[in-house]
Amino acid sequence: MDTKTLSRKELIQLYHDCKTQAEKDALYWASPELQGIFSAGNHGPKPADEAGAPLAGGTPALPGN
Amino acid sequence: MSLAWKGKGLVETAAGALDVDAYVTFESLKANHAWEEEIVKDAAGADAAWVPRNEHIILDVNVKLAADTIAHAKAGGAFLAPYAAVVFSGGDLSFMNATWQYIGGASIDLSDAKHGSKVLKLRKYADSAQNTAAVTAAT
């Protein structure tokens, strides 16, 4: 699969051209560069990481010793 | 339509573009010169030394949330991250065409029967090395 690194200009264009807010949120939280350009306040909450995310309302369990 | 006039040359437009806000329409620009001042007094209490530190320009960019489509107009109605780098181009005055640091204080105004608008406040340091540092992410 061909991959291409987007320039800052292309990344911003892609962000602005998202059709829905959900698309925009997903792109934003996937891109540290976008997070340094646009405020998190424009977006929905950050999705929990797939692994190692704390359970809602709780503290992540530490490995036993 | 471009306007051609006779007589004295003028600078009368708020021309420009921001890479982070590609779809807004420029309305007005206001640049202010500033620095942090330290004044040292002599033995008699009179001002004797004037030290300007952190010389910089603050640029207020006023835009309309107006674009080719409603979706693009809405895209302009968003805030930037603190201290985001903003590339300004196409300005009538050359000092404007540079990378600026967003310093907060932005506002978005919406009201009935009137176009939406946004104000951005940007800073550029006179010292180029300082300005580069101000718009470069820490590593």
Side-chain angles (χ1 to χ4, degrees):
Chain A
M1 186 178 76
D2 290 340
T3 60
K4 179 191 173 200
T5 301
L6 297 180
S7 68
R8 172 184 158 101
K9 182 178 179 181
E10 290 169 331
L11 182 62
I12 292 170
Q13 186 77 44
L14 187 66
Y15 172 81
H16 281 319
D17 287 345
C18 284
K19 294 278 188 287
T20 66
Q21 185 62 42
E23 283 179 16
K24 190 173 273 192
D25 289 352
L27 181 62
Y28 178 81
W29 289 119
S31 168
E33 186 170 2
L34 283 175
Q35 291 165 36
I37 298 172
F38 297 102
S39 168
N42 303 316
H43 298 279
K46 183 177 183 179
D49 293 336
E50 288 295 322
L55 297 174
T59 302
L62 296 173
N65 55 9
Chain B
M1 186 182 82
S2 63
L3 178 68
W5 61 83
K6 295 182 170 58
K8 290 185 182 294
L10 303 173
V11 178
E12 70 160 13
T13 70
L18 302 174
D19 68 337
V20 295
D21 269 334
Y23 296 117
V24 296
T25 300
F26 272 45
E27 187 164 27
S28 66
L29 299 165
K30 186 178 182 69
N32 289 290
H33 193 198
W35 59 85
E36 291 169 26
E37 181 180 74
E38 180 187 3
I39 296 179
V40 181
K41 296 182 181 298
D42 64 14
D47 293 351
W50 298 260
V51 185
R53 291 193 170 92
N54 286 321
E55 181 187 357
H56 59 278
I57 298 167
I58 300 290
L59 182 64
D60 291 333
V61 182
N62 297 275
V63 299
K64 300 173 188 174
L65 301 183
D68 56 334
T69 66
I70 294 172
H72 285 165
K74 286 182 176 178
F79 291 110
L80 300 177
Y83 301 126
V86 177
V87 179
F88 188 110
S89 60
D92 280 342
L93 304 180
S94 61
F95 78 83
M96 293 178 173
N97 299 317
T99 301
W100 297 73
Q101 179 191 54
Y102 168 61
I103 58 168
S107 63
I108 294 173
D109 291 331
L110 302 177
S111 60
D112 291 338
K114 189 173 183 291
H115 65 78
S117 63
K118 181 165 77 171
V119 180
L120 275 178
K121 198 173 276 291
L122 307 174
R123 171 170 54 202
K124 187 181 84 169
Y125 289 97
D127 182 275
S128 61
Q130 190 181 19
N131 200 59
T132 299
V135 295
T136 304
T139 55

